Amino acid sequence: MKKRIILMALILLLYYSGCSLFHSPSWEEVDIETQKTITKIHFVDKDVGFLVTDGGEIFKFKNGKWNELTNPDTTNSPLYDIASYNGNVYICGGDSIKAIVLKGQKDQDTISIMSEFSGNSLTGITALDTMNIWTCGGEKVYKYNETGFAMIHSIPEWRLIKLIKIYALSQTRMFVLGEGLSDTLSYLFKCDNGEWSELSLNMNQKFYDIFFLNRSTGYIVGQQMSVFYYTGSAFAKDNSFPSYDISFYAIHRSDINSGYIVGGIGSGLNTIIYSFDQGTWQKEEGIKNAVLKTVYSIDRNDVWTGGDNGKLFHKH
């Protein structure tokens, strides 16, 4: 009888704890009450995160839920990218005549305008510390100084290129991804010790995101499910992916053992997700009817992704 009672107690314990020993993480849709496109998700640590939309909305994840913060930019210009350092959060955006950078804090629920100036919308931002912050938009790259952001590089206007993403590996080395305004090409620029050069991708298509896990592990993703990986001196195509007419829009890796690539096409009927496991990228199911534009992997079993029409999903 005593053994039977102990057995029943053990069964009940496993049941009410969610049977964590056998739990397999799955995707769950999360409603944050927006219909705008979620353009970027970024976590400061495993407990605090931020996301922004092309409608100028800012949401903060804290205490297990998302809450909207007040945007000090009353025009609600689209917001596109987020970077952080040591609890400081930097958000960039703007429109065709205004560039704006907002600043937040991990421990505060207020957002302030860090810098605002005439120019094209800023679509990429990267931060190494509180003074080494770069952003890009239109044909220009800007670097932060104590009075604001100053232009440090400009692409000639006749090239009709819009810079969309930027990633700094150190104070002296960074990569900037651009796209053609009159063609279907993407362009990759590298700054090394103040010297700018253009790297060839040898692909007649557009790319949408660039990400580095460390100085030797980096990726670019884009149309036709294309993935390029960094070799240390150039980017080479990863031929393990099929060449379907579906775009990869975002990539993020939390460590050397895990990571995610997301995308989609059209009305979202072709949602695409790949996860990195045991050294290889593998197609993953679990989300339908969503074009995913951003992803953040806290770890292998704690992942956020979102995109068109305010669609937000959490794997846990």
Side-chain angles (χ1 to χ4, degrees):
M1 184 67 178
K2 186 176 180 180
K3 290 182 178 179
R4 196 173 289 177
I5 293 174
I6 293 174
L7 179 60
M8 288 299 296
L10 179 60
I11 292 173
L12 289 172
L13 178 64
L14 287 172
Y15 177 79
Y16 286 108
S17 65
C19 301
S20 60
L21 289 174
F22 309 101
H23 174 67
S24 178
S26 59
W27 291 102
E28 172 189 8
E29 187 169 358
V30 178
D31 184 11
I32 58 170
E33 298 183 356
T34 181
Q35 297 298 313
K36 301 297 183 180
T37 297
I38 298 172
T39 52
K40 188 68 175 184
I41 300 171
H42 180 89
F43 272 73
V44 180
D45 58 32
K46 65 182 182 65
D47 299 314
V48 178
F50 292 79
L51 70 77
V52 295
T53 75
D54 65 356
E57 298 160 308
I58 306 168
F59 292 83
K60 183 177 182 180
F61 183 82
K62 186 175 68 172
N63 298 325
K65 61 181 181 179
W66 292 95
N67 290 302
E68 187 173 1
L69 304 182
T70 300
N71 184 347
D73 174 26
T74 56
T75 63
N76 291 321
S77 298
L79 301 173
Y80 294 108
D81 203 6
I82 309 173
S84 68
Y85 173 78
N86 196 30
N88 297 290
V89 179
Y90 309 101
I91 301 168
C92 70
D95 52 35
S96 59
I97 60 173
K98 178 183 68 178
I100 190 167
V101 178
L102 307 176
K103 183 179 179 181
Q105 295 273 336
K106 170 188 172 182
D107 299 324
Q108 298 179 13
D109 294 336
T110 56
I111 302 293
S112 61
I113 295 178
M114 183 178 183
S115 184
E116 183 177 357
F117 51 93
S118 298
N120 294 109
S121 176
L122 302 173
T123 53
I125 193 164
T126 183
L128 294 177
D129 54 48
T130 56
M131 290 303 298
N132 286 289
I133 307 166
W134 296 266
T135 184
C136 68
E139 71 278 2
K140 298 176 181 178
V141 178
Y142 304 86
K143 185 180 187 297
Y144 180 70
N145 55 45
E146 292 183 354
T147 60
F149 283 86
M151 186 187 71
I152 62 169
H153 185 64
S154 180
I155 305 297
E157 290 188 11
W158 62 265
R159 295 203 61 186
L160 298 176
I161 295 174
K162 176 177 70 174
L163 303 178
I164 59 171
K165 292 293 180 183
I166 185 169
Y167 210 104
L169 298 182
S170 68
Q171 293 185 31
T172 59
R173 175 174 291 188
M174 73 182 69
F175 292 88
V176 182
L177 186 63
E179 65 179 17
L181 300 179
S182 61
D183 55 38
T184 59
L185 300 177
S186 280
Y187 301 87
L188 182 63
F189 302 93
K190 176 183 177 182
C191 179
D192 212 342
N193 292 310
E195 296 293 327
W196 289 86
S197 60
E198 185 173 344
L199 303 181
S200 175
L201 294 174
N202 293 319
M203 294 292 287
N204 186 27
Q205 62 191 69
K206 289 195 175 184
F207 293 85
Y208 300 108
D209 198 18
I210 182 169
F211 172 80
F212 278 84
L213 177 63
N214 52 49
R215 293 190 182 189
S216 59
T217 306
Y219 300 90
I220 296 175
V221 298
Q223 291 178 331
Q224 298 176 5
M225 295 175 60
S226 290
V227 177
F228 277 58
Y229 63 91
Y230 188 54
T231 65
S233 59
F235 282 85
K237 187 176 183 183
D238 185 336
N239 292 311
S240 66
F241 292 87
S243 183
Y244 297 146
D245 190 21
I246 303 175
S247 292
F248 281 147
Y249 286 108
I251 178 172
H252 187 266
R253 290 187 64 182
S254 55
D255 54 57
I256 60 172
N257 297 313
S258 59
Y260 281 81
I261 303 174
V262 299
I265 192 172
S267 61
L269 297 178
N270 289 308
T271 303
I272 195 77
I273 306 172
Y274 272 77
S275 60
F276 191 79
D277 185 27
Q278 298 182 357
T280 61
W281 291 100
Q282 301 174 9
K283 192 174 185 297
E284 184 172 307
E285 305 293 339
I287 297 178
K288 296 181 179 180
N289 303 323
V291 178
L292 303 173
K293 296 294 182 65
T294 178
V295 64
Y296 195 95
S297 171
I298 299 170
D299 60 45
R300 182 190 304 279
N301 298 321
D302 192 358
V303 187
W304 290 90
T305 185
D308 288 356
N309 303 312
K311 293 280 189 178
L312 178 65
F313 300 89
H314 185 203
K315 181 179 182 181
H316 60 113

